[in-house]
Amino acid sequence: MSGDRPEVSLGGRIKLATVSWVFAIASCIVVAFVDFGLLISIFLSVLLAGISLVFWIKYFRGSIDSYMRTRADHRGLPPFVANREFLDGVAKLDISELQASTFLQMVDPQSGRIERISESVEQHVRSVTINTSLTVLLPSSGAAQQSHRSPTVGQEDNAHLKVANNNYDDFREYLVLPLVLQGRGRLLDNFRVHDANEKRISTLTYQDALMWQVAIIRKFVRDGIGKKNFDAHYGAIEAKVIGILSSHNYSNADDALAVESSLIALSVAYDDRRRLLLAAARIVLALSEYYAGCVMVPMSSRPTYAKFAFERREIPHVVEQRPRGKLVGWFSPENLRDGFRAVLGVRPSSVQHPLSYVDRARSYHVQVRGPDGTYLGRQRIVDSRTGKTAAFPNKVMRARYGQRYSHLYVRNSWRGSQFYYESTFYERPPGSVAVSAMSSVAATFLIALVALSSMGMTSVPFGAAVTTLLAVPAAIGAWSGLDQSRTMVGGVLAARVSALVTIAASFLAILIYSLLPHTEFGTDASLSERAGYAWWVVAFSISGLNALATSGSWSLRTIVYRHFVRR
């Protein structure tokens, strides 16, 4: 939106604001102090006000562009260059078949290498913290390879430093496991990996992990077509493979498909070893859109289940399926609701968690924790391509019993990258709606008292005292429901709107009492003939309808909550 316009500097915005204020003040002076005649003064005042508005719009747009403009280029990373040192390191990595197949099974869906993945999601103001644990079946290395030491998973052996130090002697004792698949072009915040004993495990550096991936793909291709043919045919393909695996672009699917076609073409003459070339192609396709966050763990003399846990923080993208740029889209109920939420500072209570890991394990669990003071109101699996509820096989969801979390369990799923799990949480009664309901009822009662006093229906003239109570901003903010610091994320939308209506009705009552004439007590006149009757009906109706609507919302929310609790 702001990329097409040049940025206005801070000094330029200050000048625009100053000129706007000068013309605005001049517009007021012309009307108040200069006698050019009524029509000429009005014309000059409107003209100066229009000029002021033009400069103010330029200042306003320039400020928005300045605040929204990206200061740091997040795509400014230089392309990776596979220099001689990198290629020599790849060549020195003597990858075993066990190491290569284990890596493939960690990125390939339905391999069964990852037995269980459990994720716990907690929502913050704009980000979510995701704690993930993986239970991985580590293969047996055989007794022959255990003549050296056999450290346990998580033991401090500095294995990850051997790649950087070009020490390749003991690599056959270790497995490299791609635990995290992070979308390309996206930073991974607060990423920490631990073992079952909560001991920190260091991850491989970007270059070390890339070196290992290239070496594994080279292992599959070399075993598939033989060393002689490998030297003759794979050089050009490997350059493309390195380009795909080191790319910072969001998607490299087309390049990966081209590499897959090249590998399949090579496999025509080696049908008996076709599976090895297809394995290399599967790794390229699987990692074409993801960075692989890898850890290095020692092998064991027998098959072992190892548990890894890692924590990361992500900023979820807004899922938008409604039309934009059209009148019906902008003024649809959903867009109006979202606009009011943004203006009034109401946080959304829905959490959308992508099911990108669901097909990597036999068993997948995810628990989503709602904000404080909420309970689970709705949950579903949504197709991100359509925004509609999807029929997802082999799943079980925790029933809603008024708890604060949702739980999804999926078994043996083969798809998930285009789906997300949506959990919607409702405010637990009484909450902010109860505060707003009581405030609106109190305001309605006070407005009725002021109206009766102003129209001479009471012998005691207490209207001024009640009006003063309505006029105190601190009192209004305290009992009208705008202060929601102790409730769910600052209050729900209904409570915020009710608070604004309460304040508006109160100020309207103050204006009516202050500006309109009052009727003396004992005046012989019907109610409709008394001073300000129509205006007092308007103020009382606004406040009364607001009190009824908010009280009804409070009752509805209480009934729904009791239904879930008593199931």
Side-chain angles (χ1 to χ4, degrees):
M1 180 180 70
S2 61
D4 299 333
R5 296 193 297 266
E7 182 178 4
V8 182
S9 65
L10 176 61
R13 297 199 303 274
I14 293 176
K15 292 179 182 178
L16 289 173
T18 303
V19 173
S20 176
W21 274 104
V22 168
F23 278 100
I25 295 173
S27 174
C28 298
I29 291 176
V30 166
V31 173
F33 301 104
V34 180
D35 187 11
F36 289 136
L38 180 62
L39 293 179
I40 296 178
S41 297
I42 293 177
F43 173 77
L44 290 177
S45 177
V46 171
L47 179 62
L48 293 173
I51 297 174
S52 173
L53 181 62
V54 170
F55 281 99
W56 183 85
I57 291 175
K58 290 182 176 294
Y59 161 78
F60 187 74
R61 294 177 63 180
S63 299
I64 291 179
D65 292 349
S66 177
Y67 294 144
M68 295 177 61
R69 192 178 299 270
T70 302
R71 298 298 179 185
D73 188 0
H74 67 284
R75 301 185 188 180
L77 294 175
F80 178 80
V81 178
N83 53 26
R84 175 55 56 186
E85 180 183 1
F86 176 83
L87 296 176
D88 289 345
V90 172
K92 292 179 181 179
L93 285 174
D94 186 14
I95 305 296
S96 67
E97 182 177 349
L98 177 63
Q99 291 170 318
S101 61
T102 301
F103 188 94
L104 169 64
Q105 291 166 357
M106 288 290 293
V107 298
D108 184 48
Q110 302 303 306
S111 67
R113 180 61 62 189
I114 303 178
E115 181 64 30
R116 174 189 173 103
I117 295 179
S118 297
E119 294 192 289
S120 176
V121 183
E122 184 169 2
Q123 184 186 29
H124 304 288
V125 176
R126 184 58 184 91
S127 62
V128 292
T129 297
I130 306 173
N131 290 281
T132 306
S133 64
L134 297 87
T135 302
V136 182
L137 177 60
L138 299 181
S140 170
S141 62
Q145 293 186 357
Q146 296 301 315
S147 57
H148 303 288
R149 58 191 176 90
S150 298
T152 58
V153 174
Q155 180 174 331
E156 192 65 35
D157 54 13
N158 294 323
H160 63 285
L161 298 177
K162 297 179 181 178
V163 181
N165 296 333
N166 296 329
N167 183 357
Y168 307 96
D169 298 336
D170 298 330
F171 273 162
R172 296 180 70 88
E173 293 184 2
Y174 295 91
L175 296 170
V176 169
L177 305 178
L179 297 183
V180 182
L181 299 181
Q182 176 71 3
R184 294 189 178 275
R186 296 178 59 188
L187 293 176
L188 192 59
D189 300 329
N190 289 14
F191 179 57
R192 296 185 292 270
V193 182
H194 302 85
D195 62 5
N197 299 320
E198 298 186 357
K199 187 173 183 179
R200 184 77 177 270
I201 302 177
S202 299
T203 57
L204 292 182
T205 65
Y206 170 76
Q207 180 167 325
D208 292 345
L210 180 61
M211 186 184 300
W212 194 274
Q213 296 165 38
V214 175
I216 289 175
I217 295 173
R218 177 181 285 193
K219 161 73 175 176
F220 280 122
V221 176
R222 184 173 56 243
D223 292 351
I225 64 177
K227 186 177 186 307
K228 181 178 180 181
N229 294 313
F230 174 84
D231 296 335
H233 299 291
Y234 185 64
I237 299 177
E238 185 173 64
K240 296 180 180 179
V241 169
I242 296 176
I244 293 171
L245 298 181
S246 62
S247 173
H248 302 302
N249 294 329
Y250 290 100
S251 176
N252 303 282
D254 294 339
D255 296 336
L257 291 175
V259 170
E260 181 190 33
S261 300
S262 301
L263 293 175
I264 291 176
L266 282 177
S267 68
V268 173
Y270 307 94
D271 191 61
D272 57 331
R273 288 172 288 180
R274 179 184 177 91
R275 63 177 182 83
L276 298 174
L277 294 169
L278 293 181
R282 283 155 61 189
I283 294 179
V284 176
L285 287 174
L287 299 181
S288 62
E289 299 183 10
Y290 299 98
Y291 298 116
C294 302
V295 297
M296 182 175 287
V297 299
M299 296 184 185
S300 176
S301 59
R302 62 183 184 277
T304 306
Y305 282 105
K307 185 176 181 179
F308 303 92
F310 56 87
E311 176 184 317
R312 67 192 191 276
R313 177 168 290 192
E314 293 189 354
I315 303 175
H317 296 281
V318 177
V319 179
E320 210 45 273
Q321 297 295 338
R322 298 187 294 275
R324 288 290 186 184
K326 298 181 180 179
L327 187 63
V328 65
W330 283 109
F331 291 95
S332 64
E334 295 85 357
N335 279 335
L336 290 176
R337 180 197 62 191
D338 293 344
F340 276 119
R341 282 178 172 172
V343 171
L344 299 178
V346 178
R347 282 172 46 193
S349 57
S350 293
V351 181
Q352 295 93 19
H353 179 65
L355 300 178
S356 53
Y357 285 3
V358 71
D359 52 5
R360 294 187 65 193
R362 296 180 185 271
S363 174
Y364 176 81
H365 295 259
V366 57
Q367 290 191 28
V368 180
R369 184 180 178 89
D372 293 336
T374 65
Y375 69 95
L376 177 63
R378 196 168 59 239
Q379 56 184 334
R380 60 175 183 157
I381 295 179
V382 182
D383 191 334
S384 61
R385 298 167 297 184
T386 63
K388 298 180 180 180
T389 302
F392 204 84
N394 305 330
K395 73 174 187 303
V396 178
M397 295 183 184
R398 165 66 68 186
R400 297 170 295 171
Y401 294 109
Q403 76 275 17
R404 184 184 164 187
Y405 65 90
S406 63
H407 186 179
L408 171 68
Y409 168 65
V410 181
R411 183 75 178 177
N412 293 329
S413 175
W414 63 91
R415 57 177 185 170
S417 58
Q418 70 269 27
F419 299 93
Y420 61 87
Y421 178 48
E422 182 183 76
S423 302
T424 302
F425 297 91
Y426 298 153
E427 187 180 46
R428 195 183 302 273
S432 59
V433 175
V435 177
S436 295
M438 291 184 290
S439 301
S440 61
V441 171
T444 303
F445 177 73
L446 292 176
I447 290 175
L449 290 180
V450 174
L452 293 175
S453 177
S454 176
M455 291 188 293
M457 302 297 293
T458 60
S459 59
V460 180
F462 53 77
V466 178
T467 304
T468 303
L469 176 62
L470 289 173
V472 177
I476 293 175
W479 55 253
S480 67
L482 278 183
D483 183 12
Q484 307 290 355
S485 58
R486 297 185 181 181
T487 60
M488 166 195 169
V489 296
V492 297
L493 181 62
R496 290 279 176 147
V497 172
S498 175
L500 290 179
V501 174
T502 299
I503 293 177
S506 300
F507 277 112
L508 178 60
I510 295 169
L511 292 176
I512 295 172
Y513 187 85
S514 303
L515 300 179
L516 296 183
H518 300 169
T519 303
E520 296 292 334
F521 176 73
T523 301
D524 187 13
S526 63
L527 185 63
S528 60
E529 295 176 349
R530 294 176 181 266
Y533 169 76
W535 285 104
W536 284 118
V537 169
V538 171
F540 180 81
S541 299
I542 293 175
S543 183
L545 290 175
N546 178 50
L548 287 176
T550 311
S551 300
S553 177
W554 181 13
S555 301
L556 175 63
R557 294 167 187 268
T558 303
I559 293 172
V560 173
Y561 177 65
R562 289 183 62 188
H563 166 73
F564 287 125
V565 171
R566 293 187 175 187
R567 291 174 66 179

